[in-house]
Structures are given as structure tokens and as C-alpha cells.
């Protein structure tokens, strides 16, 4: 979906018109991938707009910057406030939120230290990542011929723009071959994740997902889904998973800020379970959507309302 090209973008503490939010072609990030970023969502809940797990997203942003020795001039509170203020300034009730910390303009050695550390936040309306139909019917995916990064090469726990070179290879291969998405294995051939989403497997009603050591991004939706699954009484195992577990699963689903909770109906043209969304996926998906829409109690305090005066007692079931 193309950008509308309107509204404000927050850059280093200033609000800039969308059209003027430009950086120099000699900026370090363009040449050497020296940037880290986040993707979060603001939902239009029944109690007003609220950002889902903003604290966790900004914490991960600063964690990513720390790994890359980028000293952010703005701390957790300042960046979080910038996000909230920007949503209000732009008048969004729901939107996708993209904060970035990157090495800017100074000189172009591989050494990034001379370059300034710049911070920006942009927002736009981004609907369903896959089709609406995919939420129920599921996706057709393939195991990518591309592996995720080996340990001690590109740190998978940093949400670095550089890691998305790998993600693009996975995504392009899948699309070119007629699939919706690709699943990458780690360098040992064990299950890792999708190009931009974590993965869960259900077998005999036990839920499995690869651990952070399997070259995954430590996803915030993944963490939320583990919590939701446990709240619903499921056993959840974070463990190394061989590729073939995918083919033997009763259900497989992706999770992430962009894809939310999306089932997978086939992998390498092998049908998963009944070939559409399974009952465990549906239960977790339903609870996830109920929470982010404000239809279920926000038991874990995941929604940060734009209007902080919305009393906690109102943040329970109001629409049923
Ligand atoms: C590679 C990768 N894995 C997993 C995820 C899911 O993470 P989150 O749930 O925090 O959005 C993303 C999305 O940002 C991603 O890009």
C-alpha cells in the first residue's frame, strides 16, 4: 500500500512535514545498514486509541541500539512520549508505528562512530498484512532455501535494518515461487521464523515455538501469545524444533505485529491439519483480537491509552 504522503514525522525532537522528512544520500545508514527500528500498532479500542505494548517495543528498540553501540540521545520515556504525541498530532485512531534509531550524516568509513545517532518516528495506516481471508483460511508457505543468520554473525535479537536483507531474500523467493510467505531454518537446519514473523506449532494441543537461540527476533507478539496460551490453559514449550515438526503439526501459525495471528494451511504443498485455521489457533487468535480491541480485560496491562485518564475499570468488557 502506497503512503498517502501527508501528516507529520518526528525527527530528533521536531515535527516535520511528511514531504520534508528527508536524509542525505551520504548518511551512514543508507550505505552500511547502521540502523535499528521497531514496528508497533495503535488500535482503535472500544475505550479509545491505545498502543499495544509500547513499553516493550521501545525497550527492544533501545536494546537493539545498545547491541550496535548506538547511544540514543532520547531515552525510553522520551521516545514513548514522542510516539503518543505524534499519534495525537496526526489524528490517528489506529496506525502502524515505526520508530528508528540510525547513523546519520558525517563521513562514510565503515567505522560508524563519527556519525550522529539520529532518532525518528513515523506513522501510517496499515491494514491487514495478508488478505482478510488468510485470518481464517490460512497461508500457503514454503521453507526457504535461505537460512537465518548464523549465531555470532548478525545478532538476531537486534531488530536491525541490516537483518532485513535476509528477510527480503526469504520473502522474494516465496513470492516468486507463488507462495504467500517463507519460513527460514537456522544454520543447523532447525526451525527459526518467517521473514517478519515468529512461528508456533500445535500438536496434540501442546504448543511449541523455537527459542531465542534459534536465530529469531524475540517477538513481542510471540511473548503475548505465549502468555495468552498459558492463560487459556495450554502447555507451551519453547524448544529447538526440527523442520519435520512442521509437516507433522496439527496447526501452525505465524505471529507478529504486522501479521497479528495468522494461520498456515500448507507448507511445501503439504497440508497442515485440516487445511485451514485450527481450533487452538482460533482460540488464541480470538483472545488476541479481543484484547487489542478492548473487548476482553487487559489483564497484563498491554494497552497504553492515548488518553491516560481512561479509568482502568472502563478497560474491561464493554461491547458484549
Ligand atoms: C524477523 C521478525 N521476526 C519476528 C517478528 C515479530 O515480532 P513482533 O511480534 O515484536 O512484531 C518480526 C516483526 O517485527 C520480524 O521482523
Amino acid at each position: 500500500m502506497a503512503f498517502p504522503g501527508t501528516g507529520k514525522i518526528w525527527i530528533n525532537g521536531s515535527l516535520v512535514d511528511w514531504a520534508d522528512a528527508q536524509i542525505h544520500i551520504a548518511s551512514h545508514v543508507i550505505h552500511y545498514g547502521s540502523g535499528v527500528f521497531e514496528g508497533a500498532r495503535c488500535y482503535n479500542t472500544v475505550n479509545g486509541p491505545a498502543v499495544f505494548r509500547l513499553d516493550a517495543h521501545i525497550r527492544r528498540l533501545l536494546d537493539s541500539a545498545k547491541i550496535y553501540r548506538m547511544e540514543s540521545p532520547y531515552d525510553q520515556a522520551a521516545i514513548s512520549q514522542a510516539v503518543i504525541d505524534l499519534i495525537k498530532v496526526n489524528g490517528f485512531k489506529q496506525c502502524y508505528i515505526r520508530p528508528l534509531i540510525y547513523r546519520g550524516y558525517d563521513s562514510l568509513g565503515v567505522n560508524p562512530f563519527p556519525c550522529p545517532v539520529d532518532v525518528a518516528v513515523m506513522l501510517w495506516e496499515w491494514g491487514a498484512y495478508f488478505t482478510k481471508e488468510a485470518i481464517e483460511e490460512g497461508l500457503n508457505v514454503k521453507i526457504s532455501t535461505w537460512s537465518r543468520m548464523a549465531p555470532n554473525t548478525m545478532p538476531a535479537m537486534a531488530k536491525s535494518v541490516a537483518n532485513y536483507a535476509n528477510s527480503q531474500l526469504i520473502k522474494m523467493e516465496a513470492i516468486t515461487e507463488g507462495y504467500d510467505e517463507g519460513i527460514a531454518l537456522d544454520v543447523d537446519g532447525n526451525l527459526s521464523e518467517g521473514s517478519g514473523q515468529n512461528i508456533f506449532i500445535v500438536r496434540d494441543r501442546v504448543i511449541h515455538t523455537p527459542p531465542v537461540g534459534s536465530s529469531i527476533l524475540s517477538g513481542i507478539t510471540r511473548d503475548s501469545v505465549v502468555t495468552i496460551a498459558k492463560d487459556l490453559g495450554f502447555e507451551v514449550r519453547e524448544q529447538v524444533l526440527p523442520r519435520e515438526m512442521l509437516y507433522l503439526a496439527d496447526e501452525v501459525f505465524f505471529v507478529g505485529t504486522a501479521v497479528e495471528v495468522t494461520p498456515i494451511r500448507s507448507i511445501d504443498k503439504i497440508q497442515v491439519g485440516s487445511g485451514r485455521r485450527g481450533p487452538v489457533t482460533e482460540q488464541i487468535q480470538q483472545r488476541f483480537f479481543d484484547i487489542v480491541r478492548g473487548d476482553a480485560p487487559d489483564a497484563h496491562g498491554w494497552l497504553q491509552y492515548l488518553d491516560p485518564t481512561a479509568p482502568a475499570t472502563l478497560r474491561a468488557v464493554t461491547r458484549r
Side-chain angles (χ1 to χ4, degrees):
M1 197 182 350
F3 294 120
T6 55
K8 299 282 187 193
I9 292 180
W10 185 98
I11 303 181
N12 294 329
S14 301
L15 292 176
V16 179
D17 283 340
W18 184 284
D20 299 330
Q22 297 176 3
I23 60 171
H24 199 278
I25 193 70
S27 299
H28 200 272
V29 63
I30 293 182
H31 299 257
Y32 302 122
S34 43
V36 296
F37 71 105
E38 268 308 314
R41 270 188 198 263
C42 176
Y43 286 94
N44 189 16
T45 80
V46 292
N47 301 308
V51 181
F52 185 68
R53 303 199 67 177
L54 180 61
D55 289 353
H57 280 284
I58 303 305
R59 182 180 183 203
R60 189 174 63 185
L61 178 73
L62 293 171
D63 284 350
S64 301
K66 184 174 186 186
I67 292 169
Y68 279 96
R69 300 174 192 268
M70 287 192 282
E71 193 110 357
S72 171
Y74 299 92
D75 64 9
Q76 169 104 19
I79 301 174
S80 301
Q81 194 58 51
V83 169
I84 298 291
D85 292 347
L86 192 66
I87 298 171
K88 288 182 183 168
V89 164
N90 281 291
F92 281 122
K93 295 217 175 329
Q94 55 188 22
C95 59
Y96 184 82
I97 302 159
R98 169 57 54 84
L100 288 139
I101 303 179
Y102 57 96
R103 294 278 184 183
Y105 174 82
D106 177 89
S107 53
L108 267 188
V110 169
N111 173 12
F113 287 130
C115 299
V117 174
D118 292 325
V119 184
V121 182
M122 59 186 285
L123 315 168
W124 70 96
E125 279 186 305
W126 195 6
Y129 189 77
F130 296 110
T131 60
K132 284 238 155 42
E133 187 207 0
I135 294 286
E136 287 179 25
E137 299 305 324
L139 303 170
N140 297 309
V141 309
K142 68 161 290 187
I143 311 265
S144 184
T145 62
W146 296 101
S147 299
R148 290 282 291 166
M149 303 78 69
N152 216 22
T153 57
M154 313 281 290
M157 283 183 74
K159 193 169 166 67
S160 148
V161 299
N163 286 355
Y164 288 80
N166 175 257
S167 293
Q168 289 173 65
L169 291 169
I170 295 163
K171 186 81 186 181
M172 288 189 293
E173 179 185 273
I175 291 172
T176 306
E177 295 182 19
Y179 296 89
D180 299 309
E181 186 53 84
I183 297 172
L185 306 178
D186 67 14
V187 283
D188 294 321
N190 293 311
L191 182 56
S192 182
E193 62 176 346
S195 68
Q197 50 284 115
N198 294 118
I199 193 162
F200 283 79
I201 286 177
V202 183
R203 184 164 156 106
D204 298 334
R205 294 184 66 79
V206 176
I207 299 174
H208 303 78
T209 196
V212 285
S214 291
S215 197
I216 64 165
L217 179 72
S218 185
I220 290 158
T221 320
R222 172 184 178 276
D223 178 72
S224 311
V225 162
V226 167
T227 303
I228 287 170
K230 287 180 180 168
D231 286 351
L232 291 170
F234 290 103
E235 182 185 344
V236 182
R237 296 186 193 155
E238 292 182 43
Q239 62 182 51
V240 172
L241 295 165
R243 170 182 183 155
E244 57 272 26
M245 270 292 277
L246 288 169
Y247 305 129
L248 301 179
D250 302 322
E251 303 177 36
V252 184
F253 57 94
F254 279 137
V255 307
T257 298
V259 301
E260 299 173 306
V261 178
T262 303
I264 294 172
R265 69 172 165 216
S266 77
I267 302 171
D268 293 341
K269 301 204 159 89
I270 298 176
Q271 182 173 302
V272 176
S274 64
R276 72 185 302 281
R277 177 179 63 188
V280 177
T281 309
E282 184 172 2
Q283 216 182 328
I284 289 170
Q285 195 186 48
Q286 191 59 51
R287 176 64 66 90
F288 176 82
F289 284 133
D290 281 350
I291 292 172
V292 299
R293 289 171 187 152
D295 283 338
D298 179 19
H300 302 285
W302 287 338
L303 294 171
Q304 183 166 341
Y305 286 86
L306 261 50
D307 174 6
T309 62
T313 47
L314 280 180
R315 295 179 195 161
V317 185
T318 50
R319 201 192 264 159
R320 283 182 187 176

